[in-house]
Amino acid sequence: MSQIEARLHVLSLWQKSVIALAIGMSSTFALPPYNAIPVLIISYTGLIFLLNGCGRKYHAAVIGWCFGYGQFVVGLYWIANALLIDPVQFAWIVPFAILGLPALLAMFSSLATLLTVCVPVGCVARPLTLAIAWTGVEWLRGHMLSGFPWNLIGYAWTASDEMLQFTSLVGIHGLGFVTVLVAATPAILTRVEFGWRRLIPGALILISLVAIWSGGNLRISEQSVTEFNNVQLRIVQGNIKQHHKWRDELRQLQFERYLTLSSNPGNSTATHIIWPETALPFALKNKKINTQIGSLAGLDGAVITGVIHTVANTAGPPTVWNSLQAIGHNGRLLASYHKKRLVPFGEYLPFRSLLTLLGLTKVTTGAVDFTAGQGSPFVTVRGLPTFTAIICYEAIFPHHTHDSEETSQWLLNITNDAWFGDSSGPHQHFAMARVRAIEQGKALVRAANTGISAIVDPYGRVQQRLDLGEYGVIDGKLPRPLDRRPFYARWGDSTALLFIMVTTIILLLSSGEWRKHSAP
């Protein structure tokens, strides 16, 4: 036992819980927009020290919950911004949201630490078991119930294009496994009773980290990206604040803002114009408006916009979708996609019959819940290669963009991050969307109401962008997908599982820990 562990061992459970809460909070600063990656070493090495000092299994679960709670409270504080758009109706929910949701999400962290101490291996292998358990529960967090894979730990590397290239092989979950393993491994170096053998896993991991960076650097330095010849995009960022968006007296002004930006100098070369999620503050049911929008595009082009699409029902309230629609030059609807993954409490109220009794309603405007779309996210619009439609929240789900049949050639993400205000939320959201481009080997085009709008190449490199709070347009070409599909694009999360299995075997054999089973 190291001196640090000896000091921690004598602390009470509540004292250890406070330390876990503090290092969990600090770990968030490794994620966007800060990307202070070295704090992960303090956080996850500290977590290993705390787990090694657990006398009982439930102590590990409590420590893991406190660590996760601190991580989620700091990482998701921006939720309050969405609720304070309408403070009269939702301000009272803020404490429950920013403290309650992290409490639920921290159950996943609790499960990870509980599994870590339940595996019968010694202290040298504990960073490995933590990395496996952490990766597993992050995968569960992205799939259970409606899923919420926000701020997966692998996103800490979004400041390094070189490290992010590893996701083309193993996805964000594989990179997350490496991240936890690297951050927790320094705990081994303090175990002097294992002699020189304790250095072997650390040396292997350090070599692997250098190899991952070097491979990523080689991948992006020797590759160039070509573009589609006959496609010229104009991405419009209207920068309309959320508390202005649905005010009746401002709707026409907002529409005119998008018309003006779309037709500003340079428009004559644009074949396709892209507006953000719900750019239009009304449904596209007026022929005059449709024609006005369509006239912005060329004869063989289109305007692609986010819109609220409604269908009246004689027997009840209308059916409402959060949609992407493409309008041709003559005002005709060319294609549409309805958002499939809706935000709980934002776009629909789960357990509505029960929660309405408590005075709860969804945060977005209107009393009717949105309906989840059905069918394929692959959309074909005249003059464009087929694309994968991604509306807002869908960008955080790696499996939403997975294309086993190689149907689409690029990713189109429209979003309205005005809900997050000037917080870390928009930066986190954009960082996650960028990784989807690398995983699939396809360009990402992103139109965001208040930012961040961008054109991202298939290597995740930002070619052009409009930052948060800016007002304007991006005029640019559409990059082609990679000639050779990334390994992850072909096999999905199974690549991460294979990588973890191989790494586990190598590290256990190299450390000899499979024979020791020594007690912490």
Side-chain angles (χ1 to χ4, degrees):
M1 183 181 294
S2 68
Q3 292 184 353
I4 297 175
E5 289 173 298
R7 293 179 181 180
L8 292 174
H9 189 70
V10 299
L11 298 179
S12 64
L13 179 59
W14 77 266
Q15 290 173 315
K16 293 176 182 177
S17 298
V18 170
I19 295 173
L21 179 69
I23 60 177
M25 295 173 72
S26 70
S27 70
T28 311
F29 292 97
L31 294 164
Y34 312 105
N35 294 103
I37 297 174
V39 303
L40 290 180
I41 297 175
I42 298 171
S43 300
Y44 283 92
T45 297
L47 182 58
I48 290 291
F49 286 151
L50 290 171
L51 295 179
N52 286 345
C54 289
R56 298 183 179 181
K57 298 291 191 296
Y58 82 87
H59 287 190
V62 172
I63 287 171
W65 185 90
C66 291
F67 182 94
Y69 187 70
Q71 195 174 67
F72 288 118
V73 162
V74 176
L76 301 177
Y77 77 91
W78 46 261
I79 291 174
N81 291 50
L83 295 171
L84 292 176
I85 296 295
D86 185 357
V88 174
Q89 187 169 6
F90 296 110
W92 68 275
I93 305 177
V94 169
F96 299 97
I98 63 175
L99 299 178
L101 178 60
L104 294 174
L105 294 174
M107 298 300 292
F108 289 98
S109 307
S110 179
L111 176 61
T113 53
L114 178 61
L115 292 173
T116 299
V117 300
C118 285
V119 177
V121 296
C123 297
V124 172
R126 185 147 284 170
L128 177 61
T129 55
L130 176 64
I132 294 171
W134 199 273
T135 304
V137 298
E138 284 198 331
W139 186 90
L140 285 175
R141 178 157 64 88
H143 289 79
M144 285 186 64
L145 300 177
S146 63
F148 189 64
W150 193 283
N151 274 359
L152 303 178
I153 200 63
Y155 291 119
W157 296 104
T158 50
S160 170
D161 289 341
E162 292 82 4
M163 288 297 295
L164 281 184
Q165 300 310 306
F166 196 51
T167 61
S168 68
L169 294 174
V170 297
I172 191 60
H173 292 296
L175 184 58
F177 168 77
V178 171
T179 304
V180 176
L181 188 58
V182 169
T185 294
I188 300 174
L189 303 180
T190 65
R191 308 294 300 190
V192 294
E193 65 269 31
F194 291 104
W196 66 269
R197 294 182 69 86
R198 74 187 191 275
L199 302 177
I200 298 177
L204 287 174
I205 290 170
L206 180 60
I207 292 170
S208 300
L209 192 65
V210 172
I212 290 171
W213 185 92
S214 300
N217 182 60
L218 183 65
R219 184 173 192 258
I220 61 178
S221 63
E222 294 190 352
Q223 301 293 332
S224 59
V225 175
T226 58
E227 298 162 335
F228 287 99
N229 292 328
N230 299 319
V231 177
Q232 179 70 31
L233 303 177
R234 167 162 286 197
I235 302 165
V236 181
Q237 182 167 301
N239 195 31
I240 295 169
K241 306 304 179 186
Q242 191 60 35
H243 60 280
H244 290 160
K245 194 165 184 59
W246 300 105
R247 287 171 58 177
D248 290 338
E249 69 275 19
L250 298 177
R251 294 189 187 210
Q252 184 61 32
L253 292 175
Q254 294 170 24
F255 179 46
E256 290 174 0
R257 172 176 289 195
Y258 276 99
L259 293 177
T260 300
L261 283 171
S262 300
S263 58
N264 273 351
N267 170 266
S268 59
T269 61
T271 59
H272 296 80
I273 299 169
I274 302 173
W275 293 357
E277 177 189 20
T278 62
L280 293 177
F282 39 71
L284 278 177
K285 293 184 178 294
N286 184 301
K287 184 176 180 180
K288 180 180 177 181
I289 290 176
N290 287 22
T291 303
Q292 199 172 1
I293 294 171
S295 65
L296 296 168
L299 290 174
D300 296 320
V303 175
I304 301 174
T305 181
V307 64
I308 304 299
H309 184 68
T310 62
V311 173
N313 294 315
T314 55
T319 303
V320 183
W321 291 276
N322 185 352
S323 302
L324 172 153
Q325 294 188 343
I327 309 299
H329 180 76
N330 56 4
R332 292 181 59 187
L333 177 65
L334 301 179
S336 63
Y337 165 76
H338 303 315
K339 186 178 180 183
K340 299 173 68 173
R341 292 187 173 274
L342 303 178
V343 181
F345 298 97
E347 294 171 308
Y348 73 98
L349 186 65
F351 313 110
R352 172 169 282 277
S353 58
L354 173 63
L355 295 181
T356 50
L357 297 177
L358 301 176
L360 294 178
T361 184
K362 68 182 180 73
V363 176
T364 50
T365 302
V368 179
D369 285 343
F370 284 92
T371 298
Q374 303 295 323
S376 168
F378 307 127
V379 179
T380 301
V381 174
R382 183 174 61 202
L384 281 175
T386 299
F387 61 86
T388 302
I390 309 169
I391 300 180
C392 190
Y393 179 67
E394 293 176 324
I396 72 174
F397 295 92
H399 42 288
H400 176 80
T401 55
H402 186 62
D403 180 10
S404 59
E405 301 298 326
E406 201 174 359
T407 305
S408 75
Q409 298 189 59
W410 58 292
L411 312 176
L412 175 57
N413 178 206
I414 60 172
T415 186
N416 177 23
D417 289 358
W419 288 102
F420 306 150
D422 187 8
S423 69
S424 62
H427 300 278
Q428 294 169 359
H429 201 192
F430 176 59
M432 290 182 275
R434 277 182 59 213
V435 176
R436 304 290 85 81
I438 305 171
E439 289 172 339
Q440 298 302 318
K442 301 172 184 176
L444 170 78
V445 175
R446 192 171 196 260
N449 172 24
T450 55
I452 302 165
S453 299
I455 297 177
V456 179
D457 76 11
Y459 297 101
R461 298 173 296 192
V462 179
Q463 302 298 298
Q464 298 183 65
R465 67 183 281 166
L466 282 170
D467 283 316
L468 190 63
E470 292 186 353
Y471 164 86
V473 301
I474 295 173
D475 289 320
K477 294 283 190 179
L478 175 63
R480 290 181 179 273
L482 301 183
D483 293 334
R484 187 173 182 180
R485 297 179 70 200
F487 198 66
Y488 180 83
R490 284 176 277 166
W491 298 101
D493 287 334
S494 59
T495 63
L497 177 61
L498 178 63
F499 170 70
I500 291 169
M501 290 173 60
V502 172
T503 304
T504 299
I505 292 170
I506 292 173
L507 289 178
L508 289 181
L509 290 176
S510 67
S511 68
E513 193 58 22
W514 61 282
R515 297 192 306 267
K516 286 180 175 290
H517 299 295
S518 57

